[in-house]
Amino acid sequence: MTVIVQGKQIVQIGKSDATPLPKTAMAVDGREKFLIPGLWDMHVHEIFGTWLPEDEKITPVLFVANGVTGVRDMGGDLEPLKKWRARIAEGKLLGPRMIIFRADAGWARSPVSKVPHR
């Protein structure tokens, strides 16, 4: 199989003998390897007071090193997380895309919170 990537986007996938490479392509031999989409961790706490202190040189980098390219933070410290998210989006910090979710940011008003517990 051949996978053609332009920028950060997969633009074509096909059988190698039927998928011509662009002239400017950099070829990577992927035989006996795996190619998977970026993983998402849907319940993380990246920064959580003294229990999980802010450390941008470790926490966000570890996600990416393990194939996690997106996270949903379920209740970390909001202000430093927003700064990390902005720096990641600007390309100034290596880390996953972030969705920051907090109870005080709308959980009580969400349709899920109104589902009866059994």
Side-chain angles (χ1 to χ4, degrees):
M1 295 298 292
T2 294
V3 178
I4 298 176
V5 178
Q6 284 181 334
K8 295 181 178 183
Q9 191 98 25
I10 295 174
V11 295
Q12 188 173 356
I13 300 174
K15 292 186 178 185
S16 295
D17 58 357
T19 307
L21 292 177
K23 292 181 183 181
T24 59
M26 178 182 72
V28 175
D29 185 355
R31 286 180 283 203
E32 298 185 25
K33 295 184 172 59
F34 295 93
L35 176 66
I36 64 169
L39 304 172
W40 275 79
D41 190 330
M42 298 305 288
H43 190 129
V44 303
H45 299 276
E46 293 179 89
I47 305 170
F48 203 69
T50 57
W51 180 72
L52 192 58
E54 180 179 353
D55 191 344
E56 68 180 30
K57 294 180 181 174
I58 295 176
T59 307
V61 176
L62 280 176
F63 283 114
V64 175
N66 286 285
V68 177
T69 60
V71 297
R72 181 177 63 180
D73 194 291
M74 296 298 290
D77 298 343
L78 186 58
E79 291 309 313
L81 285 172
K82 286 167 45 177
K83 290 177 186 173
W84 281 10
R85 181 172 60 188
R87 292 186 58 222
I88 290 166
E90 294 167 358
K92 296 179 179 176
L93 176 65
L94 178 62
R97 287 173 284 174
M98 296 170 57
I99 294 174
I100 302 169
F101 188 86
R102 303 231 337 189
D104 58 354
W107 175 254
R109 295 182 302 276
S110 79
V112 176
S113 69
K114 295 175 180 41
V115 174
H117 297 283
R118 294 180 185 189

